[in-house]
Amino acid sequence: MIDMKTLLLWLLPGLLSAAAAAQELPRHFENLKQLTDGGSNGESYWSPDSKRIIYQSTRDGRSCDQEYIMNADGSDQHLVSTGKGVTTCGYFTSDNKHIIYASTHESGDACPAPPDRSKGYVWSIYPSFDIYLATDQGKIVKKLTDTTGYDAEGTINFKTKKLIYTSLASGDLELWTMNEDGSGKKRITNTEGYDGGAVFSHDGSKMVWRAYHPDTPEKVAKYRELLKENLTTPMKMELFVADADGSNAKQITNFGCASFAPTFTPDNKKILFASNKNKCDSSYFDLFLINTDGTGLEQVTDYGKFTSFPEFSPDGKYLIFSSSFQGKGNYEFNIFRVNWKP
């Protein structure tokens, strides 16, 4: 949800020199289909009727991400954001006629300046990011957030019509919920550190997210120092599960690496996510399954490259994900669709 391309450009050396991906499909996969071809494509999410996909891309020669929609078979790929600034985290609303996404376009037409790499590998938490509601044809209807600081990483539960997102409104990067029209904003986490990339379970009763909670005075001081500069570090993140209101939170991974992009399986019993746990601090992310209580870890893919951002179609038939698997160059990440076999 925060810039996939930024992550890969920093960690890139070695992506193409990795061992060739296995040709056999993972046991949970059937009928692999590549939906995009060229450019940096990721953060893909389904429409409520499982017929369309919204995703972010640098296609068409763009230097930073914009939002696009395509049909479930990859046809009719077209721009639905303004083409200005940078965007992230597009998602359909429950009525199947609107979308939300975060954008910096009000602060300028150009891509925002990249983060200062002298501070190591960091993500920019652009304060100009706000979340917008638009028609599925791209007409902005309403600005849903308007607080000082970062507001992004929104996803929606189609059943409860609740939106969950990350905001700096409280002075820390916490999870908030609101209604699809922007009303009823409520903070639901309250632990110092970054909380983000959250999704609800399909029935709306649970949520899962990634987090970095500094646990020593030195780490807290470093986190606060970076946050003042609208920066954060992403390479030590664990997954947490809680009730939909944020209560009964439980950490379910403890790899000391980067785990993110979690999503519930169609039966809500397991979580599929991406991690570089096999090679921490590297770009080699694969997909893993884990029970909601943190037991039963299973590796799903073994491509030896970057594979992430999985999401199941609401009808439970398909899985989409982004991967450098079969990419023709260092900067190519495509969206794939497979039939999911439980």
Side-chain angles (χ1 to χ4, degrees), residues 144-198:
L144 299 183
T145 62
D146 196 16
T147 57
T148 301
Y150 180 81
D151 293 287
E153 306 180 40
T155 64
I156 292 173
N157 180 273
F158 300 140
K159 180 178 179 180
T160 63
K161 302 181 181 181
K162 286 287 186 180
L163 192 156
I164 189 168
Y165 64 106
T166 295
S167 178
L168 198 55
S170 68
D172 195 16
L173 291 166
E174 302 285 4
L175 294 178
W176 290 64
T177 58
M178 63 178 163
N179 300 319
E180 289 180 317
D181 64 0
S183 64
K185 292 181 176 66
K186 181 181 179 181
R187 187 177 69 181
I188 59 171
T189 59
N190 190 23
T191 301
E192 184 163 29
Y194 167 84
D195 293 279

Side-chain angles (χ1 to χ4, degrees), residues 100-339:
I100 61 156
Y101 63 90
S103 177
T104 66
H105 68 267
E106 284 194 23
S107 68
D109 294 356
C111 299
D116 180 1
R117 293 302 185 208
S118 69
K119 299 182 181 297
Y121 179 57
V122 291
W123 271 340
S124 288
I125 309 298
Y126 295 120
S128 52
F129 258 134
D130 275 302
I131 300 174
Y132 297 82
L133 175 69
T135 68
D136 59 4
Q137 300 302 309
K139 180 182 179 182
I140 292 178
V141 175
K142 188 176 184 180
K143 186 177 182 180
L144 299 183
T145 62
D146 196 16
T147 57
T148 301
Y150 180 81
D151 293 287
E153 306 180 40
T155 64
I156 292 173
N157 180 273
F158 300 140
K159 180 178 179 180
T160 63
K161 302 181 181 181
K162 286 287 186 180
L163 192 156
I164 189 168
Y165 64 106
T166 295
S167 178
L168 198 55
S170 68
D172 195 16
L173 291 166
E174 302 285 4
L175 294 178
W176 290 64
T177 58
M178 63 178 163
N179 300 319
E180 289 180 317
D181 64 0
S183 64
K185 292 181 176 66
K186 181 181 179 181
R187 187 177 69 181
I188 59 171
T189 59
N190 190 23
T191 301
E192 184 163 29
Y194 167 84
D195 293 279
V199 296
F200 290 115
S201 58
H202 303 287
D203 63 5
S205 66
K206 301 286 185 181
M207 60 185 241
V208 61
W209 74 100
R210 66 184 179 216
Y212 169 67
H213 297 153
D215 56 3
T216 68
E218 294 77 17
K219 291 178 182 178
V220 169
K222 180 64 173 177
Y223 171 76
R224 292 177 179 175
E225 175 188 340
L226 289 174
L227 194 60
K228 288 179 181 178
E229 300 180 51
N230 296 303
L231 299 170
T232 194
T233 54
M235 295 310 291
K236 304 296 180 186
M237 291 201 181
E238 305 292 352
L239 299 185
F240 290 74
V241 171
D243 293 339
D245 62 0
S247 62
N248 299 313
K250 178 183 178 180
Q251 183 175 332
I252 61 168
T253 65
N254 190 24
F255 305 143
C257 301
S259 296
F260 60 87
T263 188
F264 285 87
T265 55
D267 63 5
N268 296 310
K269 294 181 179 180
K270 295 187 177 185
I271 290 161
L272 183 65
F273 66 99
S275 180
N276 64 356
K277 69 175 294 293
N278 292 335
K279 192 175 182 181
C280 284
D281 300 318
S282 79
S283 58
Y284 304 130
F285 284 77
D286 270 300
L287 300 183
F288 297 81
L289 274 172
I290 196 169
N291 294 325
T292 56
D293 64 359
T295 63
L297 182 69
E298 175 190 354
Q299 185 165 341
V300 174
T301 63
D302 190 16
Y303 290 140
K305 293 196 174 185
F306 178 86
T307 300
S308 185
F309 304 113
E311 194 190 51
F312 293 97
S313 58
D315 62 14
K317 294 180 180 179
Y318 298 109
L319 175 76
I320 49 175
F321 60 92
S322 177
S323 182
S324 58
F325 170 61
Q326 297 182 340
K328 296 184 288 292
N330 278 344
Y331 308 107
E332 183 173 337
F333 312 101
N334 285 302
I335 296 168
F336 294 81
R337 188 196 75 195
V338 295
N339 293 79

